[in-house]
Structures are given as C-alpha cells and as structure tokens.
Amino acid sequence: MSWFSLLLDGASAYIDARGREERAEQSQRDREAVRLSNEAQAAVAEGNAQIADWQAADALSRGRVAVGAVGAQGRALKAQQTVAYTASGVALDSGSVVGVLTDTDILTATEAGNAKDTAAREAWAYRLSAMDSRNR
C-alpha cells in the first residue's frame, strides 16, 4: 500500500468519524428542540385551560346575576299587576286575579330556571374545553 492510499484511507476514516459526530450532535439538537417545543405547547395548553376555567366561573356568575334580574323583573311585574287590579277595584282574591298572579310567579320561576340552566351549560362547555386543553 502506498503512502497516498494510507493518507486517503486515514482522511476518509476521519471524515466518516466527523460526519457521525456531527449527525449525533444534530440529533441531540433536534431532540432538544422537540423537547422545548413540547414544553411550550404544554404551557400554551395549560394557559388555554386556565382561561376556559375562568370563562366557566364567569358564566356561572353571569347566570346568578341573570337569575336575580329575572326575579326582580317578575316581582316588579307582579307589583304592577297588583297595583293595576287594586286601582281598578278588582279584588285580589278573585279567581282570575289569583290566576294571573300565579302565572306571573310560574313564568318568573321558569325564566329564572332557564337563565340558570343556560349558564350551567355554558360553564360546562368551558370546562370541557379546559379538560381538552389539559389532555392534549
């Protein structure tokens, strides 16, 4: 074997070894980039989940406010009806007046229940979104 062949073989071995080292280093950098990317995605998902939790709490709070507003409107309507019947000279214990006032109570309770149910469904949807974000 000539000195030139030995030199080429040595250079080739060096280049091959250096190539393996570079590929190993690149592979390590790629793994680190994936790890960092996964951590960033997890942080974003947790942030999204926290926002959804806050939205769920807000939906329930708005629902409580809506239930209170419906109750207040129902009481105000019933008071107006009572005043109108009294001013007209109609006895408040007559059958039709009792029926109207009872219907007002029932409709007020139904609307309050609807407001509460709507808020609960909205909160449930936000909680599902939070759970989905955390499970990604």
Side-chain angles (χ1 to χ4, degrees), residues 2-136:
S2 73
W3 66 271
F4 187 71
S5 285
L6 290 173
L7 181 65
L8 284 178
D9 287 345
S12 178
Y14 173 79
I15 291 171
D16 288 345
R18 187 64 193 130
R20 283 191 297 275
E21 287 176 17
E22 287 179 8
R23 285 190 298 278
E25 289 169 2
Q26 184 61 47
S27 179
Q28 179 61 32
R29 286 191 298 271
D30 290 347
R31 283 192 300 277
E32 181 66 10
V34 167
R35 184 187 67 76
L36 291 173
S37 174
N38 288 342
E39 286 178 5
Q41 288 175 358
V44 168
E46 182 55 35
N48 289 340
Q50 182 61 59
I51 290 169
D53 286 338
W54 291 333
Q55 288 172 317
D58 180 62
L60 292 176
S61 178
R62 285 184 284 111
R64 286 188 293 275
V65 169
V67 167
V70 167
Q73 289 170 347
R75 288 186 300 276
L77 176 60
K78 189 173 179 181
Q80 289 172 350
Q81 292 167 334
T82 302
V83 167
Y85 284 128
T86 302
S88 298
V90 178
L92 294 178
D93 60 352
S94 72
S96 61
V97 172
V98 170
V100 168
L101 295 176
T102 301
D103 287 349
T104 299
D105 288 340
I106 291 169
L107 291 173
T108 298
T110 300
E111 283 302 311
N114 288 343
K116 183 178 177 181
D117 290 346
T118 297
R121 282 191 298 276
E122 184 180 350
W124 176 73
Y126 285 126
R127 286 187 186 121
L128 284 179
S129 177
M131 186 175 63
D132 183 49
S133 290
R134 287 188 174 104
N135 288 335
R136 287 185 188 191

